[in-house]
Amino acid sequence: MTVRPTQRSKNVIKSPIFSRFVALVSPLSTFAPFWHVVRPPRPLFNHPVVVRDPNPKMSKLEPLQTLCKHTGRVWDVSWHPKGQTFASCGEDKTIRIWSKDSDSKWSNKVILTDGHKRTIREIAWSPCGNYLASASFDTTTCIWDKKSGEFECNATLEGHENEVKSVSWSKSGRFLATCSRDKSVWIWEIAEEDEYDCAAVLSAHTQDVKKVVWHPHDDILASASYDNTVKLFKEDQSDNDWVCFATLQGHESTVWSISWDKTGTRIVSCSDDATLKIWQKGQNTEETWKCVCTMSGYHNRTIYDVSWNHSSDLIATACGDDAIRIFKEEEGGDLEAPTFSQVTCIERAHAQDVNCVAWNPLLSDILVSCSDDGEIKLWKFIPE
Amino acid sequence: MPTDGNLIPIFIALFELVQFDIWGVHIFLKMRLEQLENQNPNVYNKTTDRLITAEEENDDVVDEFDSREIFDLIRNITDPEHPLTLEQLHVVQESLIQVDNANNSIFVNFTPTIPHCSMATLIGLSIRVKLLRCLPARFKVRVEVTKGTHNAENSVNKQLADKERVAAALENPHLIQVINQCISNRKRVSLSQFFRLNY
C-alpha cells in the first residue's frame, strides 16, 4: 500500500518505527474534514449555559487612580446621581465623600464620622442627590443631608434586630428600603422632610437578606438573600399592602447582589456559587421571571457585586478572586436565550477580594471599585 | 440523636444570643458548660515539635507556607468545652490542611468530636480568626467541617465561608472575647471560671 504522507506526518516521522503508524494514521486523516461533524453534542440544559470563551476580545479597563484613605476593608462605593461625586464606606465606621480637584484628580473632600458604632456596610444617594443613607452593622440606618451647609445625620431609622446589610432609594423618591440579617426587608415611606414611616416589614426570605435594589423607574423592589433566592416586591394598589410577587430560584448558594438593566425587564444576579444569572421578565405578566442565561466558569470564587451599566449595557462584576470582569451581550441573540461574553478581565485588580463595582451614572465608561485591601480604584473602560 | 432540622436552630441560637444579648450569652454558655455535650472525648497525643532545619533559618532561602506551618498555628487552639487543644481532640490534623502558595489559598478541614456538636461554628470561627491574624492578607482561607462528620456541615460551612457574617460576628465584643480565649496559647483559666469571674 502506498501512502502519501500528509504535511503533518512528514514532520513527525523520524524513525522507521513510526513509519508503520503512518500507514494507519494517514488514511484516517483523509476523513479529518468530517470529524467535526461527529463531535459529541454539547450537554443539554434547560437554558443555555455559557462556558469560558477561549479567545476573549481585547477591550481594556485602564486604571485611572487609586485612593487609599480608609483603614481596613472598604465595603461599598456609591455614585452621586450627577456623577461628579461618590461616597465610600467600610470597616472604619466612616463615610468618605470624594470628588474631582481642578487637576481632575479625585480626592477626599468630606469625612462623616460618629454616625455609626459599627461597620458601615452600604451607602446610597437619594435620586435627588441631596440625601445619603448609610446602613450599618449597628442595626441602624442613618440619613445624612447638607441643609445646614455641612453633612449631618438628621434621621436614624431603627427597627432591625440585627446588622443592616443594604439600603436603597426608589427612583420616585417616595420609598427607602433596608434589609438585615434578621431576614426582613423594611420599606420606609418618606412622608415629609426627615420623616420616615415604616410602610411594610416583609418577611418573605428565610435567611439573612444581603441586598435590596429598586427598579430603575417603578416602585418595585428586588432583594437577594443567603437563602439562595431573589424576591420581587410591589405595593398592591387595592389595599396598599406590600407583597412578594415573584421568587427567582436557581442559584445554589448565597445571592450577594443584583442589578437591573435600564429597561427594568431584566435582572442580573451574582452568587457565592461563582455564577452570574440573567433573569428576564415574562412578556405579558409581571409575575413570571425566568433565568435566560447562566454565566459559569468565568469566576473562581464568590462574586460579591454586579453592576449593569444603563448606557453601555456592560455588566461589571466584583469577585473574591481579586478580579474585575466585564461582560457584554452578543448582538443578534435571541431575547429568550441571550449570550453574554467576557470582554475583559483584570486578574489582579486589587490585592484582596473586590467588594463592590459601580458604573458612573453619567460618564458611562468610568467604573469605581473597592476592596478588602482598603483601596478604592477608578477605571476607564476602553472598547476594543 | 437529634435530626438535622432540630440542630440548625441550636447553633443559630448560639449566634443569635451571642450577637445581641449579653445575658443570653452568659446563660447559654454556662448551660452548655454545666452539661458537656461530649463528656468523654478521645484524647490523642500531641505531635512532637517541628525540627527547624538550617535551611529554614537561612533568610536567603525562600520557604513557602506548608501544611505543617499552618498546623502549628492552629493546633494549640483550645476547645471551647474542654481544657484540651484541638490537636489533642483530633479536631485538626496536619493531613487535612491543604496549602496552595501559587493561588494564595489555604483549605482547612476540621472534625468536630461528635456529629451534633453545637460548638462547631465557634471552633471553625476560632480557626479562621487565628489564621486571619497570623497569615499575610493575600491568603484566602477556607475552613470547612470534614465531610461526613457533622449533621449540619453544609450550614456550618456556609456560615464560616460568609465573610460578611464573620466580620459582623467579630465585631461582637462578647464573642470575640470567647474566641480570644480559645486561641490564646497561654495556660488559661478554664472557661467556666472565666465566666464565673465575669458574672
Side-chain angles (χ1 to χ4, degrees):
Chain A
M1 190 156 113
T2 51
V3 173
R4 199 155 38 87
T6 57
Q7 193 65 39
R8 192 189 168 81
S9 50
K10 242 188 229 164
N11 298 335
V12 174
I13 304 159
K14 281 181 183 146
S15 71
I17 300 169
F18 280 106
S19 63
R20 271 190 223 158
F21 293 106
V22 181
L24 281 172
V25 172
S26 302
L28 275 177
S29 68
T30 58
F31 291 102
F34 301 101
W35 282 11
H36 71 278
V37 179
V38 288
R39 215 184 271 163
R42 288 190 173 184
L44 289 171
F45 293 92
N46 52 1
H47 58 75
V49 172
V50 180
V51 290
R52 187 188 285 273
D53 181 356
N55 303 308
K57 290 177 204 94
M58 297 317 282
S59 297
K60 271 194 296 186
L61 202 58
E62 203 177 80
L64 290 179
Q65 205 181 336
T66 302
L67 309 166
C68 28
K69 280 281 169 70
H70 280 284
T71 42
R73 174 182 281 164
V74 187
W75 273 115
D76 194 48
V77 277
S78 171
W79 285 101
H80 186 273
K82 293 215 172 81
Q84 300 297 318
T85 311
F86 69 87
S88 63
C89 65
E91 205 178 4
D92 61 5
K93 310 175 189 70
T94 65
I95 301 169
R96 287 172 188 267
I97 297 173
W98 309 77
S99 57
K100 264 185 181 174
D101 287 329
S102 48
D103 61 350
S104 79
K105 286 281 173 198
W106 295 86
S107 68
N108 187 196
K109 293 291 153 62
V110 184
I111 307 171
L112 309 181
T113 51
D114 304 327
H116 292 288
K117 292 183 196 74
R118 291 197 184 172
T119 288
I120 303 174
R121 176 66 183 86
E122 202 175 288
I123 44 191
W125 292 92
S126 64
C128 63
N130 295 333
Y131 298 88
L132 183 67
S134 58
S136 164
F137 283 179
D138 69 7
T139 75
T140 67
T141 308
C142 280
I143 314 291
W144 307 75
D145 65 51
K146 219 178 165 176
K147 280 182 206 127
S148 63
E150 286 191 3
F151 273 100
E152 271 177 27
C153 173
N154 284 330
T156 303
L157 311 182
E158 291 173 0
H160 281 295
E161 285 173 25
N162 302 116
E163 302 94 58
V164 186
K165 299 284 177 80
S166 177
V167 59
S168 175
W169 301 81
S170 78
K171 283 294 172 292
S172 64
R174 272 184 70 200
F175 299 104
L176 182 76
T178 56
C179 66
S180 159
R181 189 170 62 85
D182 67 12
K183 304 167 190 173
S184 67
V185 173
W186 289 47
I187 305 218
W188 307 80
E189 188 160 8
I190 300 149
E192 282 168 50
E193 210 167 287
D194 295 338
E195 239 182 70
Y196 298 81
D197 295 331
C198 175
V201 176
L202 305 162
S203 321
H205 283 292
T206 58
Q207 290 288 339
D208 185 2
V209 189
K210 296 290 191 192
K211 187 94 175 178
V212 280
V213 189
W214 288 93
H215 188 280
H217 28 85
D218 296 335
D219 283 338
I220 294 174
L221 182 74
S223 63
S225 164
Y226 189 84
D227 68 11
N228 309 354
T229 66
V230 174
K231 287 184 187 280
L232 302 177
F233 303 90
K234 68 174 175 187
E235 196 174 11
D236 187 342
Q237 294 303 334
S238 59
D239 55 1
N240 291 353
D241 251 1
W242 284 81
V243 286
C244 168
F245 67 90
T247 300
L248 281 46
Q249 244 160 345
H251 278 298
E252 279 157 26
S253 191
T254 307
V255 187
W256 277 93
S257 186
I258 35 189
S259 184
W260 296 82
D261 78 337
K262 63 182 167 206
T263 61
T265 56
R266 278 180 178 184
I267 295 174
V268 59
S269 59
C270 65
S271 163
D272 182 44
D273 67 13
T275 67
L276 283 181
K277 281 182 189 284
I278 308 279
W279 308 83
Q280 167 86 45
K281 190 179 85 127
Q283 289 290 348
N284 305 314
T285 63
E286 212 141 60
E287 280 75 15
T288 51
W289 284 75
K290 68 172 184 184
C291 175
V292 292
C293 180
T294 300
M295 285 173 257
S296 56
Y298 291 103
H299 300 83
N300 301 322
R301 285 174 189 276
T302 307
I303 313 166
Y304 289 110
D305 196 25
V306 60
S307 175
W308 202 327
N309 190 321
H310 286 186
S311 308
S312 62
D313 287 330
L314 294 169
I315 295 172
T317 62
C319 187
D321 63 9
D322 311 341
I324 295 175
R325 295 176 175 84
I326 310 280
F327 296 87
K328 189 183 179 189
E329 183 172 2
E330 280 177 15
E331 278 165 31
D334 183 2
L335 185 73
E336 293 297 307
T339 321
F340 286 79
S341 56
Q342 179 176 299
V343 289
T344 189
C345 169
I346 305 294
E347 293 273 0
R348 301 278 297 162
H350 283 275
Q352 292 178 47
D353 293 5
V354 188
N355 289 325
C356 177
V357 280
W359 289 105
N360 187 306
L362 294 183
L363 307 164
S364 67
D365 55 347
I366 302 293
L367 184 77
V368 64
S369 64
C370 65
S371 161
D372 276 1
D373 65 10
E375 292 184 348
I376 299 165
K377 285 189 180 177
L378 286 140
W379 308 84
K380 186 181 175 70
F381 180 76
I382 299 161
E384 48 169 322
Chain B
M1 183 80 88
T3 63
D4 228 345
N6 290 336
L7 198 95
I8 296 165
I10 299 177
F11 62 73
I12 286 178
L14 168 76
F15 256 98
E16 304 284 324
L17 286 167
V18 159
Q19 288 290 337
F20 56 85
D21 188 346
I22 165 165
W23 294 108
V25 181
H26 286 212
I27 293 159
F28 184 78
L29 280 175
K30 219 173 145 50
M31 276 169 54
R32 294 249 64 96
L33 288 164
E34 276 163 5
Q35 30 173 305
L36 295 177
E37 281 184 329
N38 188 0
Q39 304 227 343
N40 295 308
N42 293 328
V43 180
Y44 302 83
N45 287 333
K46 286 187 175 185
T47 49
T48 50
D49 282 343
R50 183 161 61 143
L51 291 171
I52 296 168
T53 60
E55 195 178 82
E56 280 174 323
E57 283 184 333
N58 182 354
D59 285 343
D60 297 332
V61 179
V62 180
D63 78 285
E64 303 266 77
F65 281 91
D66 56 19
S67 56
R68 176 61 210 235
E69 214 165 338
I70 306 300
F71 182 63
D72 279 345
L73 288 173
I74 59 176
R75 67 182 180 137
N76 287 324
I77 298 174
T78 24
D79 184 85
E81 281 188 343
H82 301 281
L84 296 164
T85 67
L86 297 187
E87 179 193 16
Q88 286 170 313
L89 295 168
H90 266 204
V91 173
V92 292
Q93 284 165 285
E94 192 186 337
S95 58
L96 296 176
I97 298 171
Q98 290 164 32
V99 182
D100 183 348
N101 276 289
N103 291 318
N104 294 328
S105 87
I106 290 172
F107 186 82
V108 178
N109 264 149
F110 69 102
T111 318
T113 49
I114 38 171
H116 52 272
C117 180
S118 66
M119 292 291 172
T121 326
L122 190 58
I123 293 171
L125 207 52
S126 306
I127 298 173
R128 254 200 92 150
V129 174
K130 177 78 184 190
L131 294 177
L132 206 69
R133 289 182 184 165
C134 298
L135 293 172
R138 68 186 167 96
F139 277 110
K140 317 258 181 201
V141 179
R142 211 175 165 92
V143 176
E144 287 188 0
V145 174
T146 315
K147 219 171 170 49
T149 59
H150 198 278
N151 293 347
E153 58 186 66
N154 290 340
S155 154
V156 173
N157 289 346
K158 192 171 181 185
Q159 201 161 351
L160 288 173
D162 187 321
K163 70 168 185 180
E164 187 183 65
R165 289 176 74 147
V166 170
L170 299 188
E171 286 191 5
N172 182 295
H174 310 293
L175 186 58
I176 199 70
Q177 215 169 353
V178 175
I179 292 172
N180 283 342
Q181 190 72 14
C182 289
I183 63 182
S184 67
N185 285 349
R186 281 175 286 120
K187 193 97 180 142
R188 55 171 203 142
V189 252
S190 82
L191 203 60
S192 51
Q193 268 176 342
F194 170 78
F195 277 106
R196 214 160 285 141
L197 291 173
N198 269 269
Y199 225 71

